[in-house]
Amino acid sequence: MSIFALLPNEEIILLSNDLIHKKFDAGDSIIKQNDSGDSMFILMEGLLTVYINIPEKGETRVAIIGPGNFFGEMSLLTGEPRSATIKADTAVNVYEITHNTMKNLSE
């Protein structure tokens, strides 16, 4: 993945050992806009939809995420609240990367 392209092989191995596998059913929310977050996700299987709550319009679909893509990286890197809600359109398999995993890579 491009986001990890500059990591040395040793750190990629450490990262892969700390991945957390999670499964979600169609309709489940993986993350919710404005929630706190300190992790990111890699979608391995399934389809996700990205929604943003727009004042006076409500929840609005803004993107679709397919396998091999990642999301949640801004909260992981900055600690800022989630900027969108991401829901499973189908059954999905994701891997979660936590802030602690990334912190351990830099030590």
Side-chain angles (χ1 to χ4, degrees):
M1 297 184 67
S2 62
I3 193 169
F4 302 116
L6 298 177
L7 290 178
N9 285 340
E10 303 82 35
E11 289 188 356
I12 290 175
I13 291 168
L14 290 172
L15 176 66
S16 66
N17 289 334
D18 280 349
L19 294 174
I20 301 166
H21 180 243
K22 294 186 173 185
K23 294 182 178 186
F24 294 92
D25 293 322
D28 287 351
S29 292
I30 290 76
I31 61 175
K32 294 182 181 177
Q33 186 174 352
N34 298 320
D35 281 357
S36 62
D38 65 351
S39 64
M40 67 174 283
F41 299 84
I42 302 167
L43 177 60
M44 300 307 295
E45 184 177 35
L47 289 173
L48 302 170
T49 299
V50 181
Y51 297 91
I52 295 178
N53 193 354
I54 299 173
E56 299 179 19
K57 287 188 177 183
E59 193 171 74
T60 303
R61 183 175 78 173
V62 295
I64 295 176
I65 301 173
N69 290 295
F70 57 89
F71 59 96
E73 71 279 5
M74 292 309 295
S75 289
L76 171 69
L77 297 172
T78 67
E80 293 292 318
R82 302 290 187 186
S83 60
T85 295
I86 300 185
K87 294 181 183 179
D89 291 334
T90 64
V92 298
N93 286 298
V94 297
Y95 284 105
E96 184 176 21
I97 301 170
T98 66
H99 175 74
N100 285 337
T101 296
M102 296 303 289
K103 186 174 78 170
N104 291 337
L105 292 180
S106 63
E107 293 178 347

